[in-house]
Amino acid sequence: MIFSENNKKFDVKVTSLQEKQSINNNQFNKEDWSSAYQNVELELENKNLEVSQGNSIKELNGTLFKNGPGILERDGQWLHHPFDGDGMISAINFKDGKATFTNKFVKTKGYLEEKKKNKFLYRGVFGTQKKGGILNNVLDLNFKNIANTHVIKLGDELLALWEAAGPHALDPKNLETIGLTTLKGVLKKNEAFSAHPKIDLNSKYSKEVLVTFGVQTGPQSTIRLMEFSNKGNKAGEILFDRKDKLNGFAFLHDFAITTNWAIFLQNAIDFNPLPFVMGQKGAAQCLKSSPNKKAKFFIVPRDSGLYSGKSPLIIDAPEGFVFHHVNAYEDGENIVLDSIFYDDFPSVGPDEDFRDIDFEKYPAGKLKRSIINLKSHYSELKTISEQTCEFAVINPKFTGIKATHSWMACTNAKSGNAPLQAIKKINLDTKEEIFWTAAPRGFVSEPIMVPKTNSKKEDEGYLLILVWNGARRGSDLIILDSKNLEHLSTYELPINIPHGLHGSWSNNEED
Ligand code: CO
């Protein structure tokens, strides 16, 4: 079999807005969606934002941090997948009803080298190849830490995260890159550190604990579970640290916590590295659902919990592939875990253009609930909603305990796969749903839920969402009332931000 070269050039088609009449049942035009994929050319600092619709919200007093790929193309060569793009951080600070915008690239070693040469010098995990075909990629297993997946504060440092390597520390005020950090010597240099830390506000050890993990994968994998204090004078210091081995290759993008447990879902996938080593595919393109394997829950006792020091529980898990969990909680002898399940690992094949994928042929995410019985070691799976969704969140105060409400990005239509254009609030008990939509021409990203300061009601707060506005070919920050999804304000942002990944909210320090 002959493998084609992936680094083909693409012409960016420019058509007038009047020509964009073809809106399908899911009410989107693919060029409106794909037009978000462009390089970020500017870095701004403290640029004042004006409300273009609605009102400013005086109660919001803090910063929204978002991460995502900011370079999609160099010297005419497009990435094979946007997940291979260098991390670019956006920060929108709110104070006394005023908003300012700052954005910077994470100045990783690879970003600086490639910027200087104006070409891709590294292969990407999701299939980006260097120019020059297979011969120029074979046996090149070097990759760059692209720091593009999540951004979150730990102690005084703002961390830009990418799961296969170490975190980059940034100055939270101006987003300047400080450099790779070992977190006060906790990590080995460039040690894998997950991009999905959880903030536990219900821990007895500290007012706020950041729980996270790192995976060393291979025929046998090791999970390192770490808990850091994240408030007060010990902020940034490690509280607990344990390592557990599990059999087989482990692709663990996310996890969930409860008061006593850290829950991992080891997807039933095979990794065949040969096409990667031979320069034909990216590492993630070598992952495939395995019909011969069974997915497993790997449930590790937290050292802050009742079962500290005990061995992990290993329980058969349902079929399907999971990137993201929503939340978990303990209910008697059960752990209840909500996750977004795909039928298979979604990958953009070597001959496909990510900006022109056929959504209907692509696996779709569905919100499902696993009930894992810790006594019988049996788990069952229930579908909460058939609608395609991703990036589901809860009120952060409820991480690890029972949350009734979740908010997420979803398709505009109730069935079929399509870009994420709407925001849904769902009651996880009653399955009652309400929606806000940016369709036909808007495309949403992960909503960030900021609870109202003095409210005890779980669903009272604000949803902050970066929206790609296909009509004006620009990025908007949209704020919704999290209770009823009423649209409160729109800020037109001064730069165009490609469809991005995760982010976090941090209150201003004087609070
Ligand atoms: Co993620």
Side-chain angles (χ1 to χ4, degrees):
M1 183 175 177
I2 295 166
F3 286 84
S4 73
E5 220 178 283
N6 295 323
N7 43 22
K8 27 184 175 176
K9 287 187 183 177
F10 298 101
D11 295 321
V12 179
K13 285 184 215 136
V14 182
T15 37
S16 72
L17 295 181
Q18 287 76 9
E19 284 173 59
K20 296 177 193 315
Q21 301 298 330
S22 60
I23 286 178
N24 70 14
N25 291 337
N26 237 317
Q27 288 198 301
F28 76 99
N29 173 299
K30 209 184 269 179
E31 271 190 43
D32 276 350
W33 169 77
S34 65
S35 61
Y37 288 121
Q38 49 180 286
N39 286 350
V40 175
E41 307 282 359
L42 285 175
E43 294 189 312
L44 302 172
E45 215 169 292
N46 291 324
K47 181 133 176 96
N48 286 326
L49 297 179
E50 301 296 332
V51 182
S52 49
Q53 223 186 319
N55 298 301
S56 67
I57 296 155
K58 291 223 161 51
E59 201 195 340
L60 279 176
N61 191 3
T63 305
L64 169 72
F65 295 106
K66 289 288 282 188
N67 198 350
I71 292 287
L72 283 303
E73 170 267 320
R74 283 199 187 276
D75 192 29
Q77 185 191 351
W78 282 79
L79 296 175
H80 186 69
H81 196 298
F83 291 177
D84 285 338
D86 293 309
M88 195 280 298
I89 313 291
S90 306
I92 300 163
N93 179 261
F94 298 87
K95 202 178 173 198
D96 306 326
K98 292 202 167 26
T100 56
F101 181 86
T102 300
N103 77 298
K104 298 267 165 73
F105 278 94
V106 187
K107 304 297 180 333
T108 64
K109 180 175 163 280
Y111 169 83
L112 293 170
E113 288 167 352
E114 292 186 337
K115 184 177 185 250
K116 200 168 166 195
K117 293 255 163 85
N118 190 31
K119 64 175 183 179
F120 293 125
L121 303 170
Y122 293 87
R123 301 173 69 193
V125 169
F126 285 86
T128 303
Q129 304 281 43
K130 296 182 293 182
K131 274 188 181 175
I134 290 173
L135 279 181
N136 204 30
N137 289 279
V138 65
L139 299 180
D140 180 358
L141 308 185
N142 268 333
F143 57 81
K144 60 174 170 170
N145 180 340
I146 51 179
N148 73 355
T149 314
H150 199 346
V151 55
I152 193 165
K153 265 183 101 172
L154 173 57
D156 300 335
E157 290 181 328
L158 183 69
L159 302 179
L161 302 175
W162 187 63
E163 69 196 27
H168 281 81
L170 314 175
D171 181 334
K173 292 267 181 263
N174 58 18
L175 304 181
E176 287 297 342
T177 302
I178 299 162
L180 269 174
T181 171
T182 60
L183 305 175
K184 300 180 179 166
V186 171
L187 301 177
K188 280 192 242 145
K189 199 172 170 234
N190 224 2
E191 180 178 334
F193 191 75
S194 152
H196 275 285
K198 305 289 171 234
I199 301 290
D200 184 353
L201 298 172
N202 305 297
S203 169
K204 58 187 175 208
Y205 287 92
S206 170
K207 222 171 150 192
E208 184 175 318
V209 173
L210 182 143
V211 191
T212 192
F213 68 99
V215 191
Q216 299 290 337
T217 196
Q220 193 180 46
S221 301
T222 303
I223 297 177
R224 182 177 184 192
L225 184 68
M226 293 163 270
E227 306 203 17
F228 295 86
S229 170
N230 206 22
K231 266 264 150 71
N233 53 8
K234 294 219 162 131
E237 287 185 19
I238 192 145
L239 297 168
F240 302 102
D241 186 5
R242 65 177 279 167
K243 281 184 182 170
D244 293 281
K245 287 198 186 313
L246 78 168
N247 285 327
F249 172 79
F251 177 86
L252 301 170
H253 177 67
D254 194 6
F255 78 135
I257 56 167
T258 65
T259 309
N260 294 300
W261 304 97
I263 303 120
F264 298 87
L265 200 172
Q266 186 184 15
N267 293 298
I269 49 172
D270 282 327
F271 177 60
N272 168 16
L274 200 60
F276 168 58
V277 175
M278 296 312 289
Q280 296 152 340
K281 285 184 176 184
Q285 290 171 312
C286 302
L287 297 173
K288 225 173 123 212
S289 283
S290 169
N292 311 318
K293 281 189 186 158
K294 190 103 184 90
K296 303 275 183 201
F297 288 116
F298 193 73
I299 304 172
V300 182
R302 285 176 66 184
D303 280 334
S304 53
L306 288 175
Y307 313 105
S308 170
K310 293 217 155 79
S311 297
L313 304 172
I314 302 168
I315 297 176
D316 281 352
E319 274 182 36
F321 183 87
V322 172
F323 282 108
H324 293 130
H325 302 289
V326 186
N327 191 35
Y329 64 91
E330 293 167 29
D331 181 17
E333 59 194 39
N334 292 324
I335 287 175
V336 180
L337 170 68
D338 294 338
S339 318
I340 294 167
F341 272 82
Y342 292 80
D343 286 342
D344 199 354
F345 177 74
S347 165
V348 177
D351 296 326
E352 292 174 284
D353 174 357
F354 75 85
R355 294 170 300 161
D356 194 29
I357 60 164
D358 182 349
F359 281 89
E360 286 292 349
K361 288 189 186 147
Y362 209 63
K366 304 269 164 79
L367 181 61
K368 299 189 184 188
R369 169 164 288 184
S370 302
I371 298 169
I372 310 162
N373 191 294
L374 301 183
K375 275 221 167 115
S376 69
H377 284 207
Y378 179 79
S379 72
E380 61 172 315
L381 186 69
K382 293 175 177 174
T383 299
I384 299 175
S385 168
E386 288 287 351
Q387 188 177 19
T388 301
C389 68
E390 246 304 347
F391 300 126
V393 299
I394 55 160
N395 179 327
K397 291 178 182 167
F398 291 75
T399 298
I401 58 175
K402 182 176 161 53
T404 307
H405 301 283
S406 176
W407 296 263
M408 64 205 69
C410 64
T411 46
N412 191 56
K414 286 277 184 112
S415 64
N417 197 2
L420 303 167
Q421 294 192 278
I423 296 292
K424 168 156 86 174
K425 177 193 181 197
I426 186 165
N427 181 314
L428 296 164
D429 292 336
T430 64
K431 300 184 184 171
E432 199 184 326
E433 301 173 327
I434 55 170
F435 296 90
W436 174 86
T437 185
R441 306 204 61 186
F443 302 87
V444 303
S445 58
E446 174 190 66
I448 301 294
M449 197 276 178
V450 182
K452 280 200 172 165
T453 318
N454 296 315
S455 175
K456 290 212 161 54
K457 291 220 172 107
E458 185 189 324
D459 61 347
E460 283 189 349
Y462 305 98
L463 293 181
L464 277 54
I465 310 144
L466 291 183
V467 175
W468 177 251
N469 182 329
R472 75 171 187 89
R473 294 290 200 259
S475 293
D476 296 335
L477 172 74
I478 291 203
I479 303 179
L480 306 179
D481 181 322
S482 57
K483 194 173 176 67
N484 53 23
L485 301 193
E486 188 192 332
H487 177 202
L488 301 176
S489 25
T490 300
Y491 293 86
E492 291 184 2
L493 300 181
I495 64 158
N496 294 348
I497 302 173
H499 301 299
L501 294 163
H502 304 291
S504 59
W505 171 262
S506 173
N507 284 324
N508 284 336
E509 262 154 33
E510 53 271 29
D511 294 1

